[in-house]
């Protein structure tokens, strides 16, 4: 990852932004696959948000079909946070501005569990730490890196490609 980051330091800002977006979307996609959620497609092509504004990328998760988990809400929160966390592994810092829509979603979900502001903040910190812990694994980092590289090359990739990178990384690092 350090070699990859060093190569990106010398590139113009739009390319660095594109790479950061690729890592962000790859983080969502790889975390979703790791939690048993099927990914339909991932793109770093700019687009419009439903209620106005623009987005830099999108990870589209298939609706309906996924293996049941112990806590669906926690899985959703971790998937939402995975983009910002994966991007921070590339850039060296969190970018809450770029993750604004994800963080709003996290707030809506965690707001259903927290009875006070203090409880909400504690739950949010715990979920961020959980996401950091999960993505600290070498296999998931490699799957994210490969997915991000493919996104930079092709702009849009299928969920099947993400699954392939995920399984390749799991075989190589576990």
């Amino acid at each position: 990852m350090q070699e990859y980051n060093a190569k990106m330091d010398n590139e113009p800002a739009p390319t660095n932004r594109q790479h950061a977006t690729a890592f962000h979307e790859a983080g969502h996609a790889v975390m979703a696959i790791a939690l048993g959620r099927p990914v339909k497609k991932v793109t770093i092509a700019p687009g419009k948000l439903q209620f106005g504004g623009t987005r830099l990328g999108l990870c589209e998760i298939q609706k309906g079909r996924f293996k049941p988990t112990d806590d669906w809400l926690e899985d959703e929160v971790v998937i939402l946070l995975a983009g910002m966390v994966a991007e921070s592994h590339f850039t060296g810092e969190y970018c809450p501005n770029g993750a604004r829509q994800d963080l709003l979603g996290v707030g809506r979900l965690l707001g259903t569990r927290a009875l006070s502001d203090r409880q909400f903040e504690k739950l949010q910190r715990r979920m961020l730490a959980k996401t950091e812990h999960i993505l600290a694994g070498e296999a998931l980092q490699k799957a994210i890196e490969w997915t991000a590289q493919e996104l930079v090359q092709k702009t849009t990739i299928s969920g099947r490609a993400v699954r392939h990178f995920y399984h390749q990384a799991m075989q190589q690092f576990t």
Side-chain angles (χ1 to χ4, degrees), residues 58-101:
L58 174 72
C59 173
E60 190 174 337
I61 298 173
Q62 290 180 352
K63 304 287 185 221
R65 297 181 7 217
F66 61 92
K67 68 179 185 178
T69 62
D70 292 337
D71 192 335
W72 176 87
L73 188 134
E74 276 196 22
D75 288 353
E76 288 295 312
V77 169
V78 167
I79 291 169
L80 286 168
L81 291 172
M84 183 177 73
V85 169
E87 181 178 348
S88 77
H89 291 173
F90 174 73
T91 63
E93 62 187 11
Y94 290 137
C95 180
N97 241 6
R100 183 179 21 242
Q101 291 300 316

Side-chain angles (χ1 to χ4, degrees), residues 38-144:
V39 173
K40 187 173 181 180
K41 74 175 183 176
V42 185
T43 185
I44 57 171
K48 296 195 183 297
L49 293 171
Q50 187 175 4
F51 300 108
T54 58
R55 62 163 173 74
L56 295 178
L58 174 72
C59 173
E60 190 174 337
I61 298 173
Q62 290 180 352
K63 304 287 185 221
R65 297 181 7 217
F66 61 92
K67 68 179 185 178
T69 62
D70 292 337
D71 192 335
W72 176 87
L73 188 134
E74 276 196 22
D75 288 353
E76 288 295 312
V77 169
V78 167
I79 291 169
L80 286 168
L81 291 172
M84 183 177 73
V85 169
E87 181 178 348
S88 77
H89 291 173
F90 174 73
T91 63
E93 62 187 11
Y94 290 137
C95 180
N97 241 6
R100 183 179 21 242
Q101 291 300 316
D102 299 332
L103 294 173
L104 287 171
V106 167
R108 281 191 299 274
L109 289 168
L110 294 182
T112 65
R113 290 236 172 127
L115 301 175
S116 68
D117 288 344
R118 184 173 171 208
Q119 202 174 32
F120 176 83
E121 289 171 15
K122 183 177 177 181
L123 187 55
Q124 191 173 29
R125 279 193 310 274
R126 186 173 68 81
M127 296 310 306
L128 185 58
K130 180 177 182 174
T131 306
E132 285 282 3
H133 175 74
I134 293 169
L135 291 184
E138 195 173 19
L140 290 185
Q141 286 184 13
K142 187 51 88 172
I144 289 168

